[in-house]
Each structure stands twice: as C-alpha cells, then as structure tokens.
Amino acid sequence: MDDFIAARSQMAVSLGFHIIFACVGMVMPFFMAISHLIYLKTGNMVYKGLTKAWSKGVAILFATGAVSGTMLSFELGLLWPTFMEHAGPIFGMPFSLEGTAFFIEAIALGFFLYGWDRLKPWFHWITGLIVGLSGLASGILVVAANAWMNSPSGFDFVNGEYLNIDPIQAMFNAAWFSQALHMTLAAFAATGFAVSGIHAFMILQKKNVTFHATAFRITALCACIAALLQPISGDISAKDVAKRQPAKLAAMEAHFETEAHAPFVVGGIPDEGEKTVKYAIKIPKLLSFLAHGDPEKPVIGLNEIPRKDWPPVVITHYAFQLMITLGMLLALLAFIYLIALIKRRKWLASRWLLRLFVIATPMGYIAVEAGWIVTEVGRQPWIIYGVMRTADAVTPMPGIAYSFYLFTAVFVSLSAIVVFLLHRQMKMVGKLYDATDPDYQSN
C-alpha cells in the first residue's frame, strides 16, 4: 500500500471509530440527566435504576473514546507534520479548549459515578449535567477545528508564510456554526435512535418491560425531535458549502456542468470520464433552490474547476446519497412517532412501531459516518482548503502501511472489548433494575 494512501486510510479508520464515541459523549449524559431529574422530582426508583445503568454505559464508552481520541491527537502530529507545523498555531485554540472540556467531563463523571448517597441530591444532578455540557462543548470545539480546514481564516497567507494570526477568528470561522449545528443534531439523532432501538428490542423480547419502556420514551422523543430538525441544519450546511466549496457541492451531486435551474440528482452512477450520471432521478430546479434559495440561479459544475482540484466524485456522491436517504427515513419515523404521541396513542404499544425503531438502530450512526466521508473526502485534494494540499502535508517517513495495520488492529480489538462490556452491562441491567423484582427497591 502506498504510504500516502496508508496515512489517509489510517486517519479515516481512526476518525470513523472515534466519531461514534464522540456522539455518545455529546448525548448520553443528557439522557442520563433527564432520567435523574425525573427521579429527583418523582422518587420513582425505575428512573434511578435507569440513570445508574446509563451512567455505567457512559463510563465504558467514555474510557474507550478517551483512548481513541488520544490516538488521533498523536496521529495528527505523526502522519501530518507539515500540516501541524503551520496550522497548529492557528487552529490550536479549539484543541486546547477541547482538552480542558475533556478534563472537566472526566472529573464531573467521577463525581457523578461515586456521588450516589454521598453528595447533596441536586448537586449530584448538576455534576451529571456538567458531564453532558462539557461533552457537548468538546464535540463542538473539535468540529470548529475541522470547520477551519474547510474554511480557513484568521491568518494571511503571503509568499508561503502564515502571517497576522488571529486564533479567535480562526476558531469562529465561516463554517463553524453550520457544521457544529449539523453535527450536534446528528449526534442526538444517531445516539437517540441507537439507544431507543436497543430498548425497543428488549421490550419486544418482553424483558424488564417497565425499565426498557421508560428508557425508550426518553431516548425516542429526543431522537425524533433531532431528526425532524436535521433537514433544516442540512439546508443551512448545503447553502454554506455552495458558497465556500463549490467543488464539494458539485461532487456531492455529481454535478458536472454549470447550469441554471440545476436539478437535484437522486441516486445514479457517476462517470467522471464521460461527465455524466447514469440511471439517476433528476428533480428539476431543486439543486439551485437548495444551494441558493433561488431555482433560477446557476450552480457551479465541475467543468469550471481544474481536474486536479476535483474531489473523488463517486465516493462523495454515494456517501451523500446514503446520508440523506437515511436522514429522511429517520425523519419519517420521527414524524410517525410524534403522530402516535399526539393523535394515535394506541400506536405506542404496537409491535410494528417498536420494530421500526429496532430497524433504525444503526441508521443514525451510518448516516454520521457517511456525512464525515462527505466532509473529508469532499474537501480533497486539500487538507487546508485552497491553501495546502493533503499530499504536501503527509509525513516523509516510510512504512506507514504497517502503522495503518497496527492501528486498525487496535481499533478492531477495542470494538470487540466495548461490545463485550456493553453486552455484559445489558445482561446485568435485567438483574439489578427489574422493576418487577421484589428486591428492586434495595438496588
């Protein structure tokens, strides 16, 4: 394997693995805080058991995320030293603040896990809320750093030198808000549907129904709200990409020719050689409207961009199609669930609705992975958009392929360990927090 491809592949595997734990760290503590708050308000022991069960899962995933995040930070320096040499002083602030947020999250999680019956009840709840807020802050700060790579600002690039550095402007670059909003809602939707799907499965299996139904109500509602808001954030992101990164938008839609009334392409097989999309469904004027808010306005095609600056069209297009397809399916499920809550209460006890949530369990995370492929692959061949090419930033050190194999083995091993620990935790939940057990109160 070529060292450049190996370096990119290693970062792809690392980011793909870590993003799952980042989403969990941004969202699960809020589910935990909601359950804990209801327990404090009502004294219902089911919510106390649920909070404890979720907190143990958060601890497992937090530890794994800390390992993968640390590995990522080393990889940035080892695999992309030229990038870090020049970019580090510019966008280092969000990474430094993310480290601070991480330590706050770790300390607060420790207080929460060991604070039961030791801390004042409301102070204990606040420590759990801090876990969620610091986890959310960590995610947003990392996204701000990534947004800077898509929309570099806070410096002047003169004769190959980076001058007049402004870290604040770099952190709050033109892309940070749209990316942070989109990522936050994606995290809530993905994690919410994953967790509610697992609890729905347990309800269908008739195991600890009271416990799992309680968990399902909290997570399903949060997931559905996020899923219905996600298309709005997607529209904001699309308009932002159309303005700043026309090549990425063109690759997302396999849009080869600049034209007004540009159609939105659904599906299809892009052919970069012939500059066509075969077997696609085209919705007239929709791309122009989504990109510019005006169906008459032209959308820049790849024909206006030098071939050497094209992103990989096929990968970007397929990833984008997968992301929006899954996003729309989850939004449809969210709409059905909200109808059930408001007008069709009998649906809530139906097995078909629970089965839909079980089917949706992995969809959110698959959409998140596809979205990051669009973000990262769609930016190529640039590591800093319009300033530094990815090929110019890679380390000259040989043997990167072996590093890729080693890191991949580590991530596969971590995945197996996490699955084992979470499976064991799920089995313990039934024994410790079964609301039908006479000993439940003592647990």
Side-chain angles (χ1 to χ4, degrees):
M1 181 185 291
D2 176 77
D3 284 337
F4 177 57
I5 298 300
R8 289 186 61 190
S9 299
Q10 182 172 325
M11 285 300 298
V13 170
S14 302
L15 283 168
F17 182 86
H18 181 69
I19 192 61
I20 304 298
F21 299 96
C23 288
V24 172
M26 293 170 70
V27 177
M28 277 304 298
F30 286 104
F31 294 162
M32 189 174 72
I34 292 170
S35 177
H36 193 190
L37 179 63
I38 297 173
Y39 163 66
L40 293 177
K41 290 282 191 178
T42 65
N44 188 328
M45 294 297 291
V46 176
Y47 288 99
K48 181 179 181 181
L50 178 58
T51 305
K52 284 189 172 183
W54 276 346
S55 66
K56 291 177 181 178
V58 167
I60 293 170
L61 295 167
F62 176 83
T64 311
V67 172
S68 60
T70 302
M71 292 170 70
L72 264 174
S73 62
F74 279 111
E75 287 178 64
L76 282 172
L78 292 173
L79 298 178
W80 313 102
T82 305
F83 167 70
M84 292 304 295
E85 176 188 357
H86 297 290
I90 305 172
F91 81 145
M93 179 176 287
F95 275 127
S96 300
L97 293 175
E98 191 276 335
T100 302
F102 169 79
F103 284 117
I104 293 173
E105 183 180 8
I107 293 168
L109 182 59
F111 272 105
F112 187 81
L113 291 173
Y114 297 101
W116 290 100
D117 304 319
R118 295 181 178 89
L119 301 174
K120 295 284 187 181
W122 285 103
F123 179 76
H124 185 216
W125 177 78
I126 288 172
T127 63
L129 183 63
I130 290 174
V131 175
L133 293 173
S134 54
L136 183 63
S138 292
I140 290 175
L141 287 165
V142 170
V143 169
N146 179 266
W148 178 83
M149 297 165 68
N150 289 315
S151 179
S153 60
F155 65 97
D156 294 324
F157 188 63
V158 181
N159 297 325
E161 295 186 13
Y162 298 79
L163 307 174
N164 303 321
I165 294 172
D166 183 348
I168 300 295
Q169 184 182 355
M171 185 166 67
F172 295 107
N173 55 80
W176 85 269
F177 175 75
S178 61
Q179 282 197 212
L181 177 64
H182 199 57
M183 183 65 222
T184 300
L185 290 174
F188 270 89
T191 305
F193 279 110
V195 178
S196 61
I198 292 170
H199 288 293
F201 177 77
M202 299 305 290
I203 295 170
L204 289 170
Q205 297 297 307
K206 300 186 184 302
K207 295 180 179 179
N208 312 307
V209 173
T210 301
F211 175 88
H212 291 292
T214 301
F216 176 81
R217 285 193 296 270
I218 294 173
T219 54
L221 181 60
C222 293
C224 290
I225 292 172
L228 290 174
L229 292 175
Q230 188 72 325
I232 299 174
S233 73
D235 181 65
I236 294 171
S237 294
K239 287 179 169 57
D240 182 61
V241 169
K243 179 180 179 181
R244 295 181 299 96
Q245 295 177 293
K248 178 184 286 188
L249 180 68
M252 287 160 58
E253 273 293 292
H255 183 65
F256 291 100
E257 300 294 330
T258 299
E259 59 180 317
H261 320 290
F264 184 85
V265 175
V266 178
I269 302 175
D271 186 326
E272 294 185 41
E274 296 184 5
K275 299 181 181 180
T276 59
V277 186
K278 300 176 181 178
Y279 315 116
I281 299 172
K282 296 186 177 182
I283 305 174
K285 301 185 180 182
L286 185 57
L287 182 60
S288 289
F289 178 75
L290 292 175
H292 304 296
D294 182 354
E296 310 297 324
K297 198 165 184 178
V299 177
I300 295 174
L302 289 166
N303 64 306
E304 291 196 20
I305 298 164
R307 189 64 181 259
K308 63 185 178 65
D309 294 337
W310 283 21
V313 177
V314 174
I315 297 174
T316 307
H317 178 70
Y318 286 156
F320 178 65
Q321 294 290 311
L322 180 60
M323 178 187 69
I324 60 173
T325 299
L326 293 176
M328 295 309 295
L329 288 174
L330 292 177
L332 177 60
L333 177 55
F335 183 68
I336 293 171
Y337 184 72
L338 292 184
I339 289 177
L341 281 177
I342 297 170
K343 289 188 174 183
R344 296 288 189 271
R345 302 287 297 182
K346 63 180 181 180
W347 290 2
L348 297 175
S350 62
R351 295 179 68 82
W352 64 265
L353 183 61
L354 293 172
R355 288 194 184 101
L356 288 178
F357 273 90
V358 173
I359 293 170
T361 300
M363 287 186 180
Y365 284 129
I366 295 173
V368 167
E369 297 285 5
W372 274 98
I373 290 172
V374 172
T375 298
E376 294 301 291
V377 177
R379 190 182 60 246
Q380 300 306 315
W382 307 98
I383 191 169
I384 307 175
Y385 188 72
V387 177
M388 180 185 292
R389 290 180 178 271
T390 309
D392 296 332
V394 72
T395 178
M397 182 178 68
I400 299 301
Y402 299 107
S403 173
F404 165 63
Y405 299 139
L406 175 62
F407 273 70
T408 301
V410 170
F411 285 125
V412 171
S413 301
L414 282 174
S415 299
I417 293 170
V418 169
V419 170
F420 168 76
L421 291 174
L422 290 179
H423 181 260
R424 189 178 70 169
Q425 177 63 21
M426 286 295 296
K427 291 174 67 176
M428 291 174 62
V429 163
K431 297 177 181 179
L432 294 177
Y433 305 119
D434 186 353
T436 64
D437 190 331
D439 296 327
Y440 178 77
Q441 296 290 337
S442 65
N443 290 321

